[in-house]
Amino acid sequence: MPATTKMCVIIPVHKSAISADEAISLAACKAHLSGYHCYLLYPEGMDTKAYTALHAGLLLHPVNPDWLSSIEKYNKMKVSTGFYQLFARYEYMLTYELDAFIFNDGFDAAKAFAFDYIGAPFFEGYWAARPGAKFMKGCNSGFSVRNIQACIKALQVVSGLRWQWLLYRLSLLHSSRLRKKVNEWTNGRYEVFVTGRFAFNFANFHLNEDLIWSEVIPKLVPSFAVADPMSALGFSFEYNLDESLQLNKGALPLGCHAWAKHLDFWSKYINIKSLTRKEKIDEV
């Protein structure tokens, strides 16, 4: 059993069956991440044999089924202190969703531990980004590393903003004119209060957790360090792949996310033909 507590690997799943593409992702995880504790995070009571048959070293970590019952609940889980406290014995957490792929274990070279949060960089247009698209703030979370204690502290700060939430509910929520004025007075610094985006912590307000860590948390907790776009490129690609490779000086990143959606690009680097992926899982 690996002894390192530098980083743990979290593999969230919600169904007992594993697809061919997910099996490829899991095989890459086994090949390059066996030096870390790899946790299969799954709904309590779910059959995990399909996963452990491919990666016998997985550590089984059942959670409340509600946490993984929908995309919204999954996003809520990843912005809850309880989730990070489960793994507080580690310094960092790698979120490895089973549409990710890792090419090597060079985490230090990829600056994985240089920030509180790093993943594939965002481009304008996201999945429809065109060559020349500008970078946007933040990183995708499907294949990402985050500093566990920094995440816990940031979420604790947000939890202490209840009186601002009440102020928002009583005044700003009902007056677009007042929201505009507040934004002008603060030069946009408190945009998260004006728009109510920090409501993810207090109400049924859905926002993808990677946007929370990328855009909301840094405004509320300026010390929380999100990777700059060029550092993020060395860590992972997801969108605008040809442009990403060019910007990264022709070098592949540590890993990638949503590879199976872009086989025209990734089939050149992942040694599995798109029509025979199921039969060639062992070739990863």
Side-chain angles (χ1 to χ4, degrees):
M1 181 64 64
T4 181
T5 57
K6 175 77 171 181
M7 183 179 76
C8 62
V9 180
I10 306 302
I11 306 166
V13 298
H14 66 278
K15 54 184 175 58
S16 58
I18 184 170
S19 71
D21 291 336
E22 290 169 338
I24 292 167
S25 292
L26 187 57
C29 172
K30 179 181 178 181
H32 300 295
L33 294 170
S34 292
Y36 300 91
H37 291 159
C38 295
Y39 290 92
L40 188 73
L41 201 76
Y42 64 96
E44 188 174 12
M46 191 191 85
D47 186 349
T48 60
K49 291 187 182 67
Y51 301 92
T52 55
L54 295 174
H55 189 343
L58 290 175
L59 300 174
L60 301 181
H61 201 301
V63 296
N64 187 327
D66 189 56
W67 278 18
L68 297 167
S69 61
S70 68
I71 292 174
E72 291 78 12
K73 293 292 181 66
Y74 174 65
N75 277 275
K76 283 282 189 182
M77 178 189 77
K78 291 175 78 179
V79 288
S80 67
T81 54
F83 170 66
Y84 294 94
Q85 286 168 343
L86 290 175
F87 305 100
R89 61 176 288 209
Y90 302 94
E91 294 180 59
Y92 295 89
M93 169 192 296
L94 170 66
T95 300
Y96 191 92
E97 295 176 359
L98 288 185
D99 56 352
F101 192 93
I102 185 167
F103 295 99
N104 59 70
D105 63 354
F107 285 91
D108 288 316
K111 299 183 179 180
F113 308 127
F115 306 93
D116 294 324
Y117 174 60
I118 187 170
F122 290 147
F123 288 90
E124 287 183 350
Y126 296 100
W127 58 88
R130 296 174 177 271
K134 294 180 180 179
F135 285 120
M136 297 176 65
K137 290 181 180 179
C139 309
N140 177 271
S141 69
F143 178 79
S144 62
V145 168
R146 56 197 81 192
N147 181 315
I148 293 174
Q149 288 303 317
C151 289
I152 291 173
K153 289 177 182 177
L155 292 171
Q156 288 173 339
V157 169
V158 176
S159 294
L161 299 175
R162 180 165 293 277
W163 73 267
Q164 288 96 328
W165 164 239
L166 294 173
L167 177 63
Y168 171 80
R169 287 290 303 272
L170 292 172
S171 58
L172 296 178
L173 177 63
H174 306 290
S175 174
S176 59
R177 185 175 180 180
L178 182 56
R179 289 200 302 271
K180 182 178 179 181
K181 284 294 183 184
V182 169
N183 220 26
E184 290 174 354
W185 294 335
T186 62
N187 293 319
R189 182 178 177 184
Y190 298 110
E191 174 69 20
V192 292
F193 294 108
V194 172
T195 62
R197 298 182 81 191
F198 74 130
F200 74 88
N201 197 68
F202 302 104
N204 188 23
F205 183 98
H206 175 66
L207 189 65
N208 285 349
E209 56 99 13
D210 48 11
L211 293 179
I212 291 172
W213 291 112
S214 296
E215 300 178 8
V216 179
I217 293 294
K219 287 187 177 181
L220 299 174
V221 187
S223 62
F224 188 84
V226 177
D228 61 276
M230 290 306 299
S231 295
L233 272 181
F235 178 80
S236 181
F237 295 175
E238 178 168 12
Y239 309 121
N240 205 0
L241 298 172
D242 290 311
E243 183 91 350
S244 293
L245 188 64
Q246 182 180 355
L247 289 169
N248 206 40
K249 299 181 180 179
L252 288 176
L254 177 75
C256 62
H257 185 237
W259 62 272
K261 293 182 179 179
H262 305 283
L263 286 171
D264 55 334
F265 179 88
W266 287 118
S267 62
K268 294 177 286 187
Y269 306 104
I270 297 175
N271 190 25
I272 301 161
K273 294 182 180 179
S274 62
L275 295 179
T276 56
R277 295 197 299 280
K278 187 173 183 179
E279 291 77 13
K280 297 192 175 185
I281 288 170
D282 291 336
E283 294 182 14
V284 177

